[in-house]
């Protein structure tokens, strides 16, 4: 879910950031600081970040290359820190690593604020639809009027549906079936709305075609720009509550890894569990989003 222009990005951040923070994006980046390639190794990303001295350039770099600032990168820094903790002479180095890691996390929080807020509003709008009318015209009004809000509404909706599908595959039945059917109805209205489909981020259109396809395993053609968007979505979903967005995250990772191999002929360097001893625990609990249901 990327912002296509700096103007759109600034518009979405207003009200969330101070004017000084917004001013960071008023100055252009040096020409050499452009978006990194999709297959750039994590080590190179870290090196590029270390070379940025000013706060402004560091924040802009994090914004432009947000899709590379994953948990995998943070894990690498944690490993490096742990390897130096056995030697007291490395205390200064350990401090620098920790401060560098915190700096990355702080800047990603800034760049993700608008998305996080839009996701919260997306959850609220879906609850309002479930509690009120399912008239297509009313539902369409709730979806959103711009790229970010429409895309975030989609993320919340599909995170809920994927969670319901997972629950059904494990338990063999769906509780609150009326709620699930209403979510499916919202999905149908969304998919039939050309206006909202045109506003939807390209990477979400790819996922939309591959998820909830009744077991079909069709691999669609996908361009590198959409792959960049998929990886960006992964890095953003990683930060969200796993109890709500974990099932969708797992699905997006599989789609990304499959298409990465198809495009580059090799497995992606990041998102590989064997690269780090900090293997995330497989999500077994049900999503909290399945608790979204209409009032009696």
């Amino acid at each position: 879910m990327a912002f296509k222009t700096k103007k759109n990005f600034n518009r979405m951040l207003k009200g969330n950031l101070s004017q000084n923070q917004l001013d960071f994006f008023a100055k252009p980046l040096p020409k050499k600081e452009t978006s990194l390639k999709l297959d750039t190794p994590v080590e190179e990303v870290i090196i590029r970040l270390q070379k940025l001295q000013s706060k402004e350039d560091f924040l802009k770099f994090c914004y432009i290359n947000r899709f590379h600032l994953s948990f995998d990168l943070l894990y690498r820094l944690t490993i490096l820190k742990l390897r130096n903790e056995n030697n007291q002479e490395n205390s200064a180095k350990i401090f620098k690593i920790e401060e560098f890691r915190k700096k990355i996390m702080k800047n990603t929080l800034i760049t993700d604020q608008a998305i996080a807020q839009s996701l919260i509003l997306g959850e609220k709008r879906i609850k309002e639809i479930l509690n009120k009318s399912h008239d297509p015209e009313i539902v369409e009004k709730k979806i959103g009027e711009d790229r970010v809000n429409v895309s975030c509404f989609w993320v919340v909706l599909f995170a809920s549906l994927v969670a319901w599908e997972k629950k059904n595959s494990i338990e063999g039945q769906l509780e609150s079936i009326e709620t699930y059917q209403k979510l499916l109805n919202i999905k149908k209205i969304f998919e039939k709305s050309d206006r909202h489909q045109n506003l939807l981020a390209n990477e979400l259109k790819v996922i939309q075609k591959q998820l909830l396809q009744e077991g079909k395993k069709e691999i669609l053609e996908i361009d590198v720009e959409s792959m960049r968007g998929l990886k960006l979505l992964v890095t953003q979903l990683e930060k969200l509550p796993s109890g709500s967005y974990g099932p969708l995250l797992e699905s997006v990772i599989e789609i990304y890894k499959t298409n990465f191999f198809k495009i580059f002929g090799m497995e992606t360097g990041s998102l590989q569990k064997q690269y780090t001893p900090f293997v995330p625990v497989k999500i077994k609990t049900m999503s909290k989003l399945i608790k979204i249901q209409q009032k009696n």
Side-chain angles (χ1 to χ4, degrees):
M1 294 181 293
F3 296 94
K4 288 297 184 182
T5 66
K6 182 176 69 177
K7 181 179 179 181
N8 289 339
F9 177 70
N10 284 343
R11 186 187 302 123
M12 288 303 303
L13 285 183
K14 284 184 178 179
N16 294 309
L17 301 182
S18 67
Q19 187 58 49
N20 286 338
Q21 289 172 322
L22 288 174
D23 287 344
F24 283 176
F25 297 89
K27 304 173 185 177
L29 271 176
K31 291 184 178 180
K32 63 179 181 179
E33 299 298 346
T34 57
S35 179
L36 299 177
K37 293 182 179 179
L38 185 65
D39 58 344
T40 302
V42 174
E43 293 79 8
E44 184 175 336
V45 178
I46 293 175
I47 292 173
R48 293 288 294 273
L49 282 165
Q50 288 176 317
K51 291 180 179 179
L52 297 171
Q53 299 301 316
S54 74
K55 291 181 180 180
E56 292 88 349
D57 286 352
F58 195 94
L59 178 56
K60 288 179 180 179
F61 184 90
C62 288
Y63 163 57
I64 293 173
N65 295 288
R66 176 65 181 89
F67 64 100
H68 275 303
L69 306 183
S70 63
F71 275 9
D72 181 69
L73 182 146
L74 297 176
Y75 286 151
R76 304 287 182 102
L77 294 175
T78 300
I79 294 170
L80 183 60
K81 175 187 172 184
L82 292 175
R83 286 176 178 172
N84 285 276
E85 284 185 344
N86 293 328
N87 190 338
Q88 294 183 350
E89 295 180 358
N90 292 333
S91 59
K93 185 175 181 180
I94 293 171
F95 177 78
K96 287 183 178 180
I97 295 172
E98 183 61 26
E99 289 301 302
F100 181 58
R101 189 177 185 278
K102 288 180 180 179
K103 186 177 180 181
I104 294 173
M105 295 176 66
K106 177 182 177 181
N107 281 270
T108 55
L109 281 174
I110 292 173
T111 62
D112 289 354
Q113 278 190 32
I115 295 295
Q117 181 65 24
S118 293
L119 286 170
I120 292 173
L121 295 175
E123 291 186 16
K124 180 180 179 181
R125 295 201 302 277
I126 288 178
K127 288 180 181 179
E128 290 174 349
I129 294 172
L130 292 175
N131 291 333
K132 296 180 181 178
S133 173
H134 289 266
D135 180 87
E137 184 176 346
I138 295 177
V139 172
E140 288 187 20
K141 288 181 179 179
K142 292 287 187 180
I143 293 174
E145 300 297 331
D146 57 70
R147 176 183 175 86
V148 173
N149 279 302
V150 169
S151 295
C152 286
F153 184 95
W154 182 100
V155 169
V156 175
L157 175 62
F158 271 71
S160 303
L161 288 169
V162 171
W164 277 106
E165 293 292 323
K166 181 175 180 179
K167 179 180 176 67
N168 185 43
S169 66
I170 294 174
E171 300 181 2
Q173 60 182 359
L174 291 174
E175 298 176 1
S176 301
I177 189 69
E178 184 179 356
T179 299
Y180 176 62
Q181 291 300 326
K182 287 185 175 182
L183 288 170
L184 285 177
N185 185 55
I186 297 172
K187 172 177 173 284
K188 291 178 182 177
I189 294 172
F190 196 154
E191 291 176 340
K192 290 181 180 179
S193 173
D194 292 336
R195 177 166 65 92
H196 292 110
Q197 288 297 312
N198 289 333
L199 287 170
L200 194 63
N202 291 334
E203 59 271 16
L204 300 185
K205 293 178 183 178
V206 171
I207 301 171
Q208 184 171 265
K209 292 178 181 178
Q210 295 193 17
L211 287 180
L212 307 176
Q213 294 292 316
E214 298 182 355
K216 294 180 182 179
K217 298 295 183 180
E218 180 184 3
I219 301 300
L220 305 172
E221 292 295 328
I222 180 172
D223 56 69
V224 174
E225 186 61 32
S226 294
M227 283 292 292
R228 192 191 304 269
L230 281 175
K231 189 172 182 181
L232 173 60
L233 179 59
V234 168
T235 63
Q236 291 168 333
L237 290 175
E238 285 176 333
K239 292 174 54 184
L240 300 176
S242 61
S244 295
Y245 295 92
L248 178 61
L249 173 60
E250 290 180 347
S251 297
V252 176
I253 287 176
E254 286 305 311
I255 293 173
Y256 176 78
K257 289 168 67 175
T258 298
N259 285 283
F260 188 94
F261 184 84
K262 183 178 179 181
I263 293 174
F264 296 101
M266 60 181 181
E267 293 187 349
T268 171
S270 59
L271 310 178
Q272 295 279 351
K273 293 181 179 180
Q274 64 266 27
Y275 275 78
T276 171
F278 301 95
V279 180
V281 177
K282 188 170 177 136
I283 299 164
K284 297 181 180 178
T285 57
M286 292 300 101
S287 169
K288 293 179 182 178
L289 288 176
I290 65 174
K291 297 180 180 178
I292 293 180
Q293 52 186 287
Q294 72 282 1
K295 296 179 181 177
N296 294 326

